[in-house]
Coordinates of all heavy atoms in Angstrom, one line a residue:
M8 N 19.4 -24.3 34.0 CA 19.6 -23.2 33.0 C 19.5 -23.8 31.6 O 20.3 -24.7 31.2 CB 21.0 -22.6 33.3 CG 21.2 -21.2 32.9 SD 20.1 -20.1 33.8 CE 20.4 -18.6 32.8
G9 N 18.6 -23.3 30.8 CA 18.4 -23.8 29.5 C 19.2 -23.0 28.5 O 20.0 -22.1 28.8
I10 N 19.0 -23.3 27.2 CA 19.7 -22.6 26.1 C 18.9 -21.4 25.8 O 17.7 -21.5 25.7 CB 19.8 -23.6 24.9 CG1 20.7 -24.8 25.3 CG2 20.5 -22.8 23.7 CD1 20.5 -25.9 24.3
K11 N 19.6 -20.3 25.6 CA 18.9 -19.0 25.2 C 18.8 -19.0 23.7 O 19.7 -19.3 23.0 CB 19.7 -17.8 25.7 CG 19.7 -17.7 27.2 CD 20.5 -16.5 27.6 CE 20.7 -16.5 29.1 NZ 21.5 -15.3 29.6
M12 N 17.6 -18.6 23.2 CA 17.4 -18.5 21.8 C 16.6 -17.2 21.4 O 15.9 -16.7 22.2 CB 16.7 -19.7 21.3 CG 15.4 -20.0 21.9 SD 14.8 -21.7 21.6 CE 15.6 -22.5 23.0
G13 N 16.8 -16.7 20.2 CA 16.2 -15.5 19.8 C 14.8 -15.7 19.1 O 14.1 -14.8 19.0
V14 N 14.6 -16.9 18.7 CA 13.3 -17.2 18.0 C 12.6 -18.4 18.6 O 13.3 -19.4 19.0 CB 13.7 -17.5 16.5 CG1 12.4 -17.9 15.7 CG2 14.3 -16.3 15.8
A15 N 11.3 -18.4 18.6 CA 10.5 -19.5 19.1 C 9.3 -19.7 18.2 O 8.9 -18.7 17.5 CB 10.1 -19.3 20.5
L16 N 8.7 -20.8 18.2 CA 7.5 -21.1 17.4 C 6.4 -21.3 18.3 O 6.5 -21.9 19.4 CB 7.7 -22.4 16.5 CG 8.8 -22.3 15.5 CD1 8.8 -23.7 14.8 CD2 8.6 -21.2 14.5
D17 N 5.2 -20.8 17.9 CA 4.0 -21.1 18.7 C 3.3 -22.4 18.2 O 3.8 -23.0 17.3 CB 3.0 -19.9 18.8 CG 2.4 -19.6 17.4 OD1 2.5 -20.5 16.5 OD2 1.7 -18.6 17.3
S18 N 2.2 -22.7 18.8 CA 1.6 -24.0 18.5 C 1.0 -24.0 17.1 O 0.7 -25.1 16.5 CB 0.5 -24.3 19.5 OG 1.0 -24.5 20.8
A19 N 0.9 -22.9 16.5 CA 0.4 -22.8 15.1 C 1.5 -22.8 14.1 O 1.3 -22.7 12.9 CB -0.5 -21.5 14.9
G20 N 2.8 -22.9 14.6 CA 3.9 -22.9 13.8 C 4.4 -21.5 13.4 O 5.3 -21.3 12.5
R21 N 3.8 -20.5 14.0 CA 4.2 -19.1 13.7 C 5.5 -18.7 14.5 O 5.7 -19.1 15.6 CB 3.1 -18.1 14.1 CG 3.3 -16.8 13.5 CD 2.0 -16.0 13.6 NE 2.3 -14.6 13.4 CZ 1.5 -13.6 13.8 NH1 0.4 -13.8 14.4 NH2 1.8 -12.3 13.5
E22 N 6.4 -17.9 13.8 CA 7.6 -17.6 14.4 C 7.6 -16.3 15.2 O 7.0 -15.3 14.7 CB 8.6 -17.4 13.2 CG 10.1 -17.5 13.5 CD 10.9 -17.4 12.3 OE1 11.0 -18.5 11.6 OE2 11.5 -16.4 12.0
W23 N 8.2 -16.3 16.3 CA 8.2 -15.1 17.2 C 9.6 -14.8 17.6 O 10.4 -15.7 17.9 CB 7.4 -15.3 18.5 CG 5.9 -15.5 18.2 CD1 5.3 -16.7 18.0 CD2 4.9 -14.5 18.0 NE1 4.0 -16.5 17.7 CE2 3.7 -15.2 17.7 CE3 5.0 -13.1 18.0 CZ2 2.5 -14.5 17.4 CZ3 3.8 -12.4 17.7 CH2 2.6 -13.1 17.5
H24 N 10.0 -13.5 17.5 CA 11.3 -13.1 17.9 C 11.3 -12.5 19.3 O 10.5 -11.7 19.6 CB 11.8 -12.0 16.8 CG 12.1 -12.6 15.5 ND1 13.3 -12.9 15.0 CD2 11.2 -13.0 14.5 CE1 13.2 -13.5 13.8 NE2 11.9 -13.6 13.5
A25 N 12.3 -12.9 20.0 CA 12.4 -12.5 21.5 C 12.4 -11.0 21.7 O 11.7 -10.5 22.6 CB 13.6 -13.1 22.1
D26 N 13.0 -10.2 20.8 CA 13.1 -8.8 21.0 C 11.8 -8.1 20.7 O 11.6 -6.9 21.2 CB 14.3 -8.2 20.2 CG 14.2 -8.6 18.7 OD1 13.3 -9.4 18.3 OD2 15.1 -8.1 18.0
T27 N 10.9 -8.7 20.0 CA 9.6 -8.0 19.7 C 8.4 -8.7 20.3 O 7.3 -8.2 20.3 CB 9.3 -7.9 18.2 OG1 9.5 -9.2 17.6 CG2 10.4 -6.9 17.5
Y28 N 8.6 -9.9 20.9 CA 7.5 -10.7 21.5 C 7.0 -10.0 22.8 O 7.8 -9.5 23.6 CB 8.0 -12.1 21.8 CG 7.0 -12.9 22.5 CD1 5.9 -13.5 21.7 CD2 7.0 -13.1 23.8 CE1 5.0 -14.3 22.3 CE2 6.0 -13.9 24.4 CZ 5.0 -14.5 23.7 OH 4.0 -15.3 24.3
V29 N 5.7 -10.0 22.9 CA 5.1 -9.5 24.2 C 4.2 -10.7 24.7 O 3.5 -11.3 24.0 CB 4.2 -8.3 23.9 CG1 3.5 -7.9 25.2 CG2 5.0 -7.2 23.3
K30 N 4.3 -10.9 26.0 CA 3.6 -12.0 26.6 C 2.2 -12.0 26.3 O 1.5 -10.9 26.3 CB 3.8 -11.9 28.2 CG 3.6 -13.2 28.8 CD 4.2 -13.2 30.3 CE 4.1 -14.6 30.9 NZ 5.0 -15.5 30.2
G31 N 1.6 -13.1 25.9 CA 0.2 -13.2 25.5 C 0.1 -13.4 24.0 O -1.0 -13.8 23.5
Q32 N 1.1 -13.1 23.2 CA 1.1 -13.2 21.8 C 1.2 -14.7 21.4 O 1.8 -15.4 22.2 CB 2.2 -12.4 21.1 CG 2.0 -10.9 21.1 CD 3.1 -10.2 20.4 OE1 4.2 -10.4 20.6 NE2 2.7 -9.2 19.5
G33 N 0.7 -15.0 20.3 CA 1.0 -16.4 19.8 C 0.1 -17.4 20.5 O -0.6 -17.1 21.4
L34 N 0.1 -18.6 19.9 CA -0.7 -19.7 20.4 C 0.1 -20.5 21.3 O 1.0 -21.2 20.9 CB -1.3 -20.5 19.3 CG -2.5 -21.4 19.5 CD1 -3.7 -20.5 20.0 CD2 -2.9 -22.1 18.2
E35 N -0.1 -20.4 22.6 CA 0.8 -21.1 23.6 C 0.5 -22.6 23.6 O -0.6 -23.0 23.2 CB 0.6 -20.6 25.0 CG 0.9 -19.1 25.0 CD 1.6 -18.7 26.3 OE1 2.2 -19.5 27.0 OE2 1.4 -17.5 26.7
P36 N 1.4 -23.5 23.9 CA 2.7 -23.2 24.4 C 3.7 -22.9 23.2 O 3.6 -23.4 22.2 CB 3.1 -24.4 25.1 CG 2.4 -25.5 24.4 CD 1.1 -24.9 23.9
L37 N 4.6 -22.0 23.5 CA 5.7 -21.7 22.6 C 6.8 -22.8 22.7 O 7.0 -23.3 23.8 CB 6.3 -20.3 22.8 CG 5.7 -19.2 22.1 CD1 4.2 -19.1 22.3 CD2 6.3 -17.9 22.5
R38 N 7.5 -23.0 21.6 CA 8.5 -24.0 21.7 C 9.8 -23.6 20.9 O 9.7 -22.7 20.1 CB 8.0 -25.4 21.2 CG 7.5 -25.4 19.8 CD 7.2 -26.8 19.3 NE 6.7 -26.8 17.9 CZ 7.5 -26.8 16.9 NH1 8.8 -26.8 17.0 NH2 7.0 -26.7 15.6
C39 N 10.8 -24.4 21.1 CA 12.1 -24.2 20.4 C 11.8 -24.4 18.9 O 11.0 -25.2 18.5 CB 13.0 -25.3 20.9 SG 14.6 -25.4 20.0
E40 N 12.5 -23.6 18.1 CA 12.3 -23.7 16.7 C 12.9 -25.0 16.1 O 12.6 -25.4 14.9 CB 12.8 -22.5 15.9 CG 14.4 -22.4 15.9 CD 14.9 -21.3 15.0 OE1 14.2 -21.0 14.0 OE2 15.9 -20.6 15.4
R41 N 13.7 -25.7 16.8 CA 14.4 -26.9 16.3 C 13.9 -28.2 16.9 O 14.2 -29.3 16.5 CB 15.9 -26.8 16.4 CG 16.5 -25.9 15.3 CD 18.0 -25.9 15.4 NE 18.5 -25.0 16.4 CZ 18.7 -23.7 16.3 NH1 18.5 -23.2 15.1 NH2 19.1 -23.0 17.3
C42 N 13.2 -28.1 18.1 CA 12.8 -29.3 18.8 C 11.5 -29.0 19.6 O 11.1 -27.9 19.7 CB 13.9 -29.9 19.6 SG 14.3 -28.9 21.1
P43 N 10.8 -30.0 20.1 CA 9.5 -29.8 20.8 C 9.6 -29.2 22.2 O 8.6 -29.1 22.9 CB 8.9 -31.2 20.8 CG 9.8 -32.1 20.0 CD 11.1 -31.4 20.0
T44 N 10.8 -28.8 22.6 CA 11.0 -28.3 24.0 C 10.3 -27.0 24.2 O 10.4 -26.1 23.4 CB 12.5 -28.1 24.3 OG1 13.2 -29.3 24.0 CG2 12.7 -27.6 25.7
P45 N 9.4 -27.0 25.2 CA 8.7 -25.7 25.5 C 9.6 -24.7 26.0 O 10.6 -25.0 26.7 CB 7.7 -26.1 26.6 CG 7.9 -27.5 26.9 CD 9.0 -28.0 26.1
V46 N 9.4 -23.4 25.6 CA 10.3 -22.3 26.0 C 9.5 -21.2 26.7 O 8.3 -21.0 26.4 CB 11.1 -21.7 24.9 CG1 12.1 -22.8 24.3 CG2 10.2 -21.2 23.8
A47 N 10.1 -20.4 27.5 CA 9.5 -19.3 28.2 C 10.2 -18.0 27.7 O 11.4 -18.1 27.4 CB 9.6 -19.4 29.7
H48 N 9.4 -16.9 27.7 CA 10.0 -15.7 27.2 C 10.6 -14.9 28.4 O 10.0 -14.8 29.5 CB 9.0 -14.8 26.5 CG 9.5 -13.5 26.0 ND1 9.2 -12.3 26.5 CD2 10.4 -13.3 25.0 CE1 9.8 -11.4 25.8 NE2 10.5 -11.9 24.9
Q49 N 11.8 -14.3 28.2 CA 12.4 -13.5 29.2 C 12.6 -12.1 28.6 O 13.3 -12.0 27.6 CB 13.7 -14.1 29.7 CG 14.5 -13.2 30.6 CD 13.8 -12.9 31.9 OE1 13.6 -13.8 32.7 NE2 13.5 -11.6 32.2
A50 N 11.9 -11.1 29.1 CA 12.0 -9.8 28.5 C 13.4 -9.2 28.8 O 14.1 -9.6 29.7 CB 10.9 -8.9 29.1
A51 N 13.8 -8.2 28.0 CA 15.0 -7.5 28.2 C 15.1 -6.9 29.6 O 14.0 -6.4 30.1 CB 15.2 -6.5 27.1
H52 N 16.2 -6.9 30.2 CA 16.3 -6.3 31.6 C 17.7 -5.9 31.9 O 18.6 -6.2 31.1 CB 15.8 -7.3 32.6 CG 16.6 -8.6 32.6 ND1 16.4 -9.6 31.7 CD2 17.5 -9.1 33.5 CE1 17.2 -10.6 32.0 NE2 17.9 -10.3 33.0
T53 N 17.9 -5.2 33.0 CA 19.2 -4.8 33.4 C 19.6 -5.5 34.6 O 18.9 -5.7 35.6 CB 19.2 -3.3 33.6 OG1 18.7 -2.6 32.5 CG2 20.6 -2.8 33.9
R54 N 20.8 -6.0 34.6 CA 21.3 -6.8 35.8 C 22.5 -6.0 36.4 O 23.4 -5.5 35.8 CB 21.8 -8.2 35.4 CG 22.3 -9.0 36.5 CD 22.2 -10.5 36.1 NE 22.9 -10.8 34.9 CZ 22.8 -11.9 34.2 NH1 21.9 -12.8 34.5 NH2 23.5 -12.0 33.1
E55 N 22.4 -5.8 37.8 CA 23.4 -5.1 38.5 C 24.5 -6.1 38.9 O 24.2 -7.1 39.6 CB 22.8 -4.4 39.7 CG 21.7 -3.5 39.4 CD 22.1 -2.2 38.6 OE1 23.2 -1.8 38.7 OE2 21.2 -1.7 37.9
R56 N 25.7 -5.8 38.6 CA 26.8 -6.6 39.1 C 28.1 -5.8 39.3 O 28.5 -5.1 38.4 CB 27.1 -7.7 38.0 CG 27.8 -8.9 38.6 CD 27.9 -10.1 37.6 NE 29.2 -10.1 37.0 CZ 29.5 -10.9 36.0 NH1 28.6 -11.8 35.5 NH2 30.7 -10.9 35.5
D57 N 28.6 -5.9 40.5 CA 29.9 -5.1 40.8 C 29.8 -3.7 40.4 O 30.6 -3.1 39.8 CB 31.1 -5.8 40.1 CG 31.3 -7.2 40.4 OD1 30.9 -7.6 41.6 OD2 31.8 -8.0 39.6
D58 N 28.6 -3.0 40.9 CA 28.4 -1.6 40.6 C 28.3 -1.3 39.1 O 28.3 -0.1 38.8 CB 29.5 -0.8 41.2 CG 29.6 -0.9 42.7 OD1 28.5 -1.1 43.3 OD2 30.7 -0.7 43.3
R59 N 28.1 -2.3 38.3 CA 27.8 -2.0 36.9 C 26.5 -2.5 36.5 O 26.1 -3.6 37.0 CB 29.0 -2.6 36.0 CG 30.2 -1.8 36.1 CD 31.2 -2.4 35.1 NE 31.6 -3.8 35.4 CZ 32.3 -4.6 34.6 NH1 32.6 -4.1 33.4 NH2 32.6 -5.8 34.9
S60 N 25.9 -1.8 35.5 CA 24.6 -2.3 35.0 C 24.9 -3.1 33.7 O 25.5 -2.5 32.8 CB 23.7 -1.1 34.7 OG 23.2 -0.6 35.9
I61 N 24.4 -4.3 33.6 CA 24.6 -5.1 32.4 C 23.3 -5.3 31.8 O 22.3 -5.8 32.4 CB 25.2 -6.5 32.8 CG1 26.6 -6.2 33.4 CG2 25.4 -7.3 31.5 CD1 27.1 -7.5 34.2
Y62 N 23.2 -4.8 30.5 CA 21.9 -5.0 29.7 C 21.8 -6.4 29.2 O 22.7 -6.9 28.5 CB 21.9 -3.9 28.6 CG 20.7 -4.1 27.8 CD1 19.4 -3.6 28.3 CD2 20.7 -4.6 26.5 CE1 18.3 -3.7 27.5 CE2 19.5 -4.7 25.7 CZ 18.3 -4.3 26.2 OH 17.2 -4.4 25.5
V63 N 20.7 -7.0 29.5 CA 20.5 -8.4 29.0 C 19.3 -8.4 28.0 O 18.2 -8.1 28.4 CB 20.2 -9.4 30.1 CG1 20.0 -10.8 29.6 CG2 21.2 -9.3 31.2
P64 N 19.6 -8.6 26.7 CA 18.5 -8.5 25.7 C 17.5 -9.6 25.9 O 17.8 -10.6 26.6 CB 19.3 -8.8 24.4 CG 20.7 -8.6 24.7 CD 20.9 -8.9 26.1
A65 N 16.3 -9.5 25.4 CA 15.3 -10.5 25.5 C 15.7 -11.8 24.9 O 16.5 -11.8 23.9 CB 14.0 -9.9 24.9
Y66 N 15.1 -12.9 25.4 CA 15.4 -14.2 24.8 C 14.3 -15.2 25.2 O 13.5 -14.9 26.1 CB 16.8 -14.7 25.2 CG 17.0 -14.8 26.7 CD1 16.5 -15.9 27.4 CD2 17.6 -13.8 27.5 CE1 16.7 -16.0 28.8 CE2 17.8 -13.9 28.8 CZ 17.3 -15.0 29.5 OH 17.5 -15.1 30.9
F67 N 14.3 -16.3 24.5 CA 13.5 -17.4 24.9 C 14.4 -18.5 25.5 O 15.6 -18.6 25.1 CB 12.8 -18.0 23.7 CG 11.7 -17.2 23.1 CD1 11.9 -16.5 22.0 CD2 10.5 -17.1 23.7 CE1 11.0 -15.7 21.4 CE2 9.5 -16.2 23.2 CZ 9.7 -15.5 22.0
R68 N 14.0 -19.3 26.4 CA 14.8 -20.4 26.9 C 13.9 -21.6 27.4 O 12.8 -21.4 27.7 CB 15.7 -19.9 28.0 CG 15.0 -19.8 29.3 CD 16.0 -19.6 30.5 NE 15.2 -19.2 31.6 CZ 15.7 -18.4 32.6 NH1 16.9 -17.9 32.5 NH2 15.0 -18.1 33.6
Ligands
ZN3 ZN1 15.5 -27.2 20.9

């Protein structure tokens, strides 16, 4: 399990925000804004737990 982050940089140094990023945007690979670690985008989704729906916002990790 990696660290979740709201912002990532693409190979051209452009900044992408998890909540507006759509797969395919930017020059891959995307990476952490503070170090060279590659990150993957996880879209916002709903997780079911104990009969409750938990909204999980988009993030990079
Ligand atoms: Zn990092």
Side-chain angles (χ1 to χ4, degrees):
M8 208 61 187
I10 300 165
K11 296 179 183 180
M12 58 197 87
V14 174
L16 297 180
D17 68 11
S18 295
R21 196 168 164 199
E22 201 174 280
W23 295 95
H24 291 257
D26 51 358
T27 53
Y28 178 79
V29 177
K30 206 163 184 63
Q32 286 183 314
L34 201 59
E35 300 216 29
L37 269 56
R38 61 174 177 84
C39 173
E40 67 174 326
R41 282 183 283 272
C42 69
T44 306
V46 295
H48 183 249
Q49 172 64 62
H52 59 283
T53 305
R54 183 159 51 198
E55 305 292 334
R56 203 174 98 184
D57 300 331
D58 295 332
R59 282 187 300 169
S60 289
I61 300 162
Y62 178 73
V63 183
Y66 58 84
F67 291 102
R68 74 167 170 216

